[in-house]
Amino acid sequence: MERELKGGAARPDLQQPLSAGVVAALVGYTSAFAVVLTGLTAVGASPRQAASGLLALCLTQAVGMLWLSRRHRMPLILVWSTPGVALLAGTDGFDGGWPVAVGAFLVAGAAYVLTGLWPALGNLIARIPAPIAQAMLAGVVLELCLSPVTHLKDNPWAILPIVVVWLLGVRFAPRWAVPAAFVAAAAVIGVDMVRDGTTIAGSSLAPALSFTAPELSWAALVGIALPLYVVTMASQNVPGVAIMKSLGYDVPWRSSMVSAGVATMAGATAGGHSVNLAAISAALAAGPPAGPDPQRRWIASQSAGWTYVVLAAASAALAALVAVAPVGVIATVAGLALLGTLADALEGAVSQRRGREAAVITFLVAASGVSAAGIGSAFWALVAGLVVHLVLDVRLPKGP
């Protein structure tokens, strides 16, 4: 009898972390893969290269979290940078196209490694006021978040069902609202394919990595790599550590940053833009849904990692579906997926009265989409915000 009780108690202890990890992976993947494909395409990736990037991200973050969680016996979750790829989606492109974007991804990965090995760099990034980083993110995602509105006028019969399904999802099952919106989008794409007689070649459904030789350019380094690094640190890595701390876990900073950086560099030439610590997914895998025993929640990271390996197989099929979508359909799904990111970024940008002017200037410059010297608005928004912050925050000497 005693053995039966022990065996019966062990099964639910294992079931909870396993199911929590699967849910964390499914929510993270289905809520943002459309943003990934949109962002990679915006910086020059072909549909095949964008599919490769999605595949590379799934595999590298899976390997990273499997290793980290087993080594530290901690529910550490690695994910792609949704704010980072949203930044890419708001980029107009650079001279040199996709190869220079890949070079920027490599540099961002190297910066994560350096941050883990050299704490002074992390401290320097931490000195950038959080409202400025959040305002930059809000500015670059604004245009994509407007997609449901701008495309509704031109193609209401395709866009309206997606928006209605998303709204009902937010009302009744918020966690699954964006995945439900994509299901609606897939239905719209299917109807459009039948109507136009469009077909998808079977050869395009098989997942495959497509490697690109990286190239470096100053414009891409300061216009992609730097903003990608800053926004990922401010919106993913630092909040991820704070969330884990609130759940009772001290994240091994050096090991986590080096692992995320190595994973990013490993996937960069295949199109992976950034691997980093999770924020929202961390709460799913490291919180009470993963079981009552914090010592066993690391199993959730293991199940999440293997789930991402399985999801990687869908990368090519999803990219092929996106490639035949009517204009505005995928942009609408991506825009709806980023509404929460936009809301959080706006709140973080203006929540404090002090420094609000710098944050607003940062937001306006980023949202304007202006570029100069071949460098996009995200970098200039960061520069403008820091200049305004320094001018307004400088302490003038007191008179005699």
Side-chain angles (χ1 to χ4, degrees):
M1 174 68 78
E2 184 178 354
R3 288 183 180 179
E4 290 179 0
L5 289 175
K6 287 182 179 180
R11 191 170 293 113
D13 284 348
L14 187 62
Q15 181 181 357
Q16 281 188 277
L18 284 175
S19 60
V22 172
V23 169
L26 287 174
V27 170
Y29 184 92
T30 57
S31 297
F33 78 86
V35 185
V36 172
L37 296 174
T38 302
L40 296 180
T41 302
V43 291
S46 67
R48 180 167 172 264
Q49 290 166 333
S52 172
L54 183 60
L55 173 60
L57 288 167
C58 289
L59 294 178
T60 53
Q61 66 195 30
V63 172
M65 79 174 82
L66 288 171
W67 183 79
L68 275 174
S69 60
R70 180 169 289 278
R71 180 188 180 190
H72 297 286
R73 289 298 194 271
M74 193 178 294
L76 295 167
I77 298 290
L78 296 181
V79 295
W80 59 60
S81 174
T82 299
V85 82
L87 185 147
L88 299 181
T91 301
D92 293 331
F94 293 85
D95 292 337
W98 180 239
V100 301
V102 169
F105 301 161
L106 271 174
V107 172
Y112 300 147
V113 173
L114 188 59
T115 302
L117 298 177
W118 186 30
L121 180 58
N123 295 334
L124 178 62
I125 296 301
R127 295 183 63 181
I128 297 176
I132 290 178
Q134 294 294 330
M136 179 184 69
L137 175 60
V140 297
V141 304
L142 177 63
E143 183 177 359
L144 196 56
C145 288
L146 288 172
S147 294
V149 179
T150 56
H151 291 293
L152 183 62
K153 177 183 176 182
D154 300 326
N155 197 5
W157 299 111
I159 305 304
L160 191 58
I162 301 171
V163 175
V164 170
V165 169
W166 170 82
L167 185 60
L168 292 174
V170 172
R171 174 63 180 84
F172 296 106
R175 184 179 297 175
W176 301 101
V178 175
F182 178 75
V183 172
V188 169
I189 296 171
V191 171
D192 187 74
M193 290 176 64
V194 171
R195 184 184 63 186
D196 296 341
T198 305
T199 59
I200 298 176
S203 59
S204 65
L205 302 179
L209 293 174
S210 175
F211 295 97
T212 300
E215 297 179 8
L216 299 179
S217 78
W218 283 110
L221 291 180
V222 299
I224 295 181
L226 178 60
L228 176 60
Y229 171 71
V230 170
V231 79
T232 300
M233 291 297 299
S235 301
Q236 294 278 169
N237 288 327
V238 173
V241 170
I243 288 173
M244 291 292 287
K245 183 73 173 179
S246 70
L247 294 170
Y249 299 97
D250 289 322
V251 172
W253 176 256
R254 173 172 296 199
S255 181
S256 298
M257 286 298 96
V258 171
S259 298
V262 170
T264 299
M265 296 177 72
T269 56
H273 70 290
S274 176
V275 175
N276 42 258
L277 286 171
I280 297 174
S281 299
L284 296 174
D293 184 2
Q295 301 294 326
R296 294 176 63 83
R297 292 176 186 170
W298 68 275
I299 298 171
S301 294
Q302 294 285 302
S303 66
W306 287 113
T307 302
Y308 269 112
V309 172
V310 175
L311 291 171
S315 56
L318 290 172
L321 191 64
V322 167
V324 298
V327 175
V329 167
I330 298 304
T332 294
V333 176
L336 294 173
L338 289 173
L339 286 179
T341 299
L342 175 62
D344 291 342
L346 287 173
E347 181 182 8
V350 298
S351 59
Q352 299 179 4
R353 178 63 188 88
R354 183 174 181 179
R356 188 175 295 178
E357 294 83 358
V360 171
I361 292 297
T362 303
F363 170 76
L364 291 175
V365 174
S368 71
V370 298
S371 61
I375 301 171
S377 62
F379 171 77
W380 296 117
L382 188 61
V383 171
L386 290 174
V387 169
V388 173
H389 170 75
L390 290 174
V391 170
L392 298 183
D393 199 55
V394 66
R395 295 182 180 276
L396 297 176
K398 295 182 179 180

